[in-house]
Amino acid sequence: MVGEQGGRDEFISEGFHYWSKKDSFRKHMELEKSNYEIRLLATICSCRFLLKNALPFRGHDEMEKSNNKGLFIEVLSLIREDNEKIFKVTLENAPKNEKLTSPTIKKDIVDCFSKEIIKSICDEIGKDMFAILVDESRNVSKKEQMVIVLRYVDRLGIVKERFIGIVRMLDTSSLTLKAVIDTIFSNNNLSMA
């Protein structure tokens, strides 16, 4: 008799409102959200330090027993040494699927920093004149790539050159190069005019 085995159809027909521990669940969710925010801020802080100092993120072996886990893990470990709140929710104390130390997470954070930096460069240029420097070459794995640099004069009269990015190219025809440059310009509110 399957219908008589344990439980009621509370979630099916009557809904969630009879559950006696909904406040406990709400408190648990708030605590998890707070822990996630602490973990995320520590990860962002570690990334910011490494980016600001042009340091590599990864080590040879990032396993917990390794002596050289890489600068990202080492900086995160240093941040948490004197902060009990961060210590309780990061690295080995974090849920296994939510450590926020994967290469994908770090790459997403770096991409966010990159977008903010490019936006500030474009805001500094504003409607003033600038030049674009483009160079195309192959990398070690024989894939075509294009480097884009903007050159402009700031409000103090200082000539600045700012690296905007490296774009992987399928081919190096002039139409493809122009299309990529146009996309970068439109994404950053820049105009050839």
Side-chain angles (χ1 to χ4, degrees):
M1 309 245 190
V2 175
E4 295 177 15
Q5 291 179 355
R8 297 165 276 163
D9 56 358
E10 185 125 355
F11 290 106
I12 297 170
S13 61
E14 296 175 28
F16 181 73
H17 62 294
Y18 289 114
W19 192 27
S20 64
K21 299 190 181 198
K22 60 184 175 184
D23 289 333
S24 296
F25 182 70
R26 188 174 294 117
K27 287 177 186 173
H28 171 75
M29 290 304 295
E30 287 172 8
L31 177 65
E32 287 302 312
K33 181 180 177 187
S34 173
N35 289 345
Y36 182 83
E37 288 173 355
I38 292 168
R39 204 169 18 260
L40 180 61
L41 287 174
T43 300
I44 290 171
C45 189
S46 298
C47 288
R48 186 176 60 211
F49 174 81
L50 295 172
L51 287 170
K52 190 174 184 178
N53 292 290
L55 297 170
F57 279 57
R58 293 192 52 130
H60 177 68
D61 181 12
E62 293 184 342
M63 302 299 289
E64 285 187 34
K65 296 176 183 175
S66 173
N67 289 330
N68 183 9
K69 296 176 185 151
L71 289 176
F72 175 78
I73 301 292
E74 295 298 332
V75 169
L76 187 56
S77 297
L78 188 64
I79 289 171
R80 65 187 233 142
E81 271 182 20
D82 294 327
N83 190 322
E84 190 176 338
K85 284 171 75 173
I86 294 174
F87 184 84
K88 287 181 178 179
V89 298
T90 55
L91 297 177
E92 73 277 355
N93 297 328
K96 288 188 179 191
N97 63 345
E98 215 176 77
K99 291 184 184 279
L100 299 181
T101 58
S102 74
T104 306
I105 298 284
K106 292 183 274 191
K107 185 179 183 312
D108 288 346
I109 292 170
V110 169
D111 286 344
C112 290
F113 276 115
S114 172
K115 288 176 185 173
E116 287 298 315
I117 291 168
I118 291 171
K119 183 182 178 303
S120 71
I121 291 168
C122 294
D123 289 346
E124 185 177 12
I125 294 172
K127 301 284 184 195
D128 292 341
M129 298 196 49
F130 63 92
I132 181 170
L133 307 170
V134 177
D135 189 20
E136 172 274 323
S137 66
R138 285 186 182 177
N139 64 11
V140 176
S141 61
K142 308 263 192 251
K143 296 192 177 173
E144 299 290 339
Q145 58 189 12
M146 179 174 66
V147 176
I148 301 172
V149 175
L150 295 180
R151 180 185 288 173
Y152 60 97
V153 178
D154 71 2
R155 288 177 178 82
L156 300 173
I158 299 170
V159 176
K160 292 187 175 180
E161 288 185 355
R162 297 291 185 236
F163 171 78
I164 296 298
I166 297 176
V167 181
R168 214 169 253 170
M169 306 295 297
L170 297 175
D171 67 76
T172 56
S173 69
S174 59
L175 286 175
T176 305
L177 296 174
K178 183 181 180 323
V180 170
I181 292 169
D182 287 343
T183 301
I184 290 171
F185 273 44
S186 67
N187 289 346
N188 295 296
N189 296 324
L190 292 171
S191 170
M192 290 287 199

